[in-house]
Amino acid sequence: MFRVFGVAAAIAAILSLAILGWQGLGLHLGPTFDWVLTSYEKQAARFFGLLEPLIRPALDALAAVTGWTLSLQPHWKHVVVLLWLNIGAESRNAWRMGDKGYSVFSGLVGLVIALVASIASGLFTLDHPLSSAFVALFPMFGYLCWAFAALAFHATNFSSGFRGRAPPRMWWSVFYSGAKYSFLRFSVGVTFVLIATTWSYISGQVISGLAVLGVWIAFFALYWLATGALQARDEGKSVFDNADFQHGWIMLSTIAGAIGLLSLGVAGI
């Protein structure tokens, strides 16, 4: 059952990533893949449309406080899937490795954070450099919050195994050892956003925040592949026995699938 869910999630991630690339880059596709992605878009809108009646009252309350007019852009639902591609890959790997407590915790917290960050991203349009920047920044910040929550879980579990009362510095040491790398990855994403926004203002052509988010996800995939391969080499194991490498492999395979779909579509199929 878990495997079937993973396959379905991977297919949805490929299609959602393809749609984000399609919309973010303004590509013109052939009739077959235009139909495939348009059909998936309609099904995704129907599925996530079940949530929108629950989201709307919160947006109306926020609009009443701020005086802003708030409406969800269609890309928000695909950003959820894109965030879940990263978070879900780690949760599935943790389950396979036997760390089921962490898998459930990270999955549930990650799902909530992915929804909140994606809704925030969906409040911004793609037609202005600054607005488009926030489309990418909110999912990046959401992932950082999830990473900190996951690290706090690990630090608490580690400290609870200490005989007697674990000193606070032990919890902080375990948390900080991972948090600095999470913040570094977030900083790389912010750098991508700053470069894209600056170029958009200089050139007069808006670089979509969806495209920037896709580049950041690709960077993540390569990061996990590289770190996993190095760990496997040091441990003398196969790379496919390493959770980080598997994490990166799932992400990179999804990206490759989306690029393949878009390439066939652009070719006129």
Side-chain angles (χ1 to χ4, degrees):
M1 183 66 183
F2 201 75
R3 186 183 295 273
V4 172
F5 177 77
V7 171
I11 293 172
I14 289 173
L15 292 171
S16 285
L17 189 57
I19 286 178
L20 291 177
W22 179 28
Q23 296 175 347
L25 299 175
L27 301 176
H28 297 284
L29 305 183
T32 300
F33 283 96
D34 184 276
W35 176 83
V36 169
L37 295 185
T38 301
S39 298
Y40 173 73
E41 172 81 7
K42 290 179 180 177
Q43 294 304 316
R46 187 174 301 170
F47 177 79
F48 285 100
L50 299 175
L51 294 176
E52 293 192 5
L54 303 176
I55 298 169
R56 191 67 255 171
L59 295 182
D60 290 341
L62 182 60
V65 172
T66 61
W68 300 336
T69 301
L70 301 177
S71 59
L72 276 176
Q73 304 298 314
H75 63 257
W76 82 272
K77 53 188 173 290
H78 301 298
V79 175
V80 173
V81 178
L82 191 58
L83 268 178
W84 184 249
L85 166 63
N86 198 1
I87 294 172
E90 180 158 338
S91 297
R92 291 196 299 275
N93 282 335
W95 185 277
R96 282 199 293 266
M97 296 295 178
D99 195 354
K100 296 184 178 180
Y102 170 69
S103 175
V104 172
F105 173 82
S106 66
L108 291 176
V109 172
L111 183 58
V112 172
I113 290 177
L115 282 170
V116 173
S118 301
I119 290 168
S121 173
L123 296 178
F124 295 88
T125 62
L126 299 168
D127 56 359
H128 186 275
L130 188 58
S131 177
S132 192
F134 283 107
V135 169
L137 283 174
F138 273 107
M140 292 176 183
F141 182 70
Y143 181 83
L144 180 66
C145 292
W146 172 81
F148 282 176
L151 290 167
F153 182 93
H154 281 309
T156 301
N157 274 4
F158 183 85
S159 298
S160 66
F162 186 77
R163 292 185 178 181
R165 184 184 176 90
R169 66 177 179 275
M170 177 180 289
W171 187 98
W172 175 250
S173 177
V174 174
F175 176 83
Y176 178 73
S177 64
K180 60 185 178 182
Y181 294 110
S182 297
F183 190 77
L184 178 62
R185 292 191 291 271
F186 172 71
S187 299
V188 170
V190 173
T191 301
F192 289 161
V193 171
L194 289 175
I195 292 172
T197 304
T198 302
W199 178 257
S200 295
Y201 276 112
I202 292 174
S203 66
Q205 295 181 338
V206 178
I207 298 178
S208 171
L210 298 178
V212 177
L213 194 58
V215 171
W216 186 63
I217 291 294
F219 165 80
F220 253 113
L222 294 173
Y223 172 85
W224 289 120
L225 280 174
T227 55
L230 291 174
Q231 289 173 9
R233 185 192 64 182
D234 292 341
E235 296 170 357
K237 298 179 179 179
S238 167
V239 290
F240 288 101
D241 291 330
N242 183 275
D244 286 349
F245 186 88
Q246 290 183 18
H247 188 168
W249 181 258
I250 291 171
M251 293 172 63
L252 196 62
S253 298
T254 304
I255 293 169
I259 291 174
L261 284 181
L262 290 177
S263 298
L264 290 172
V266 171
I269 297 176

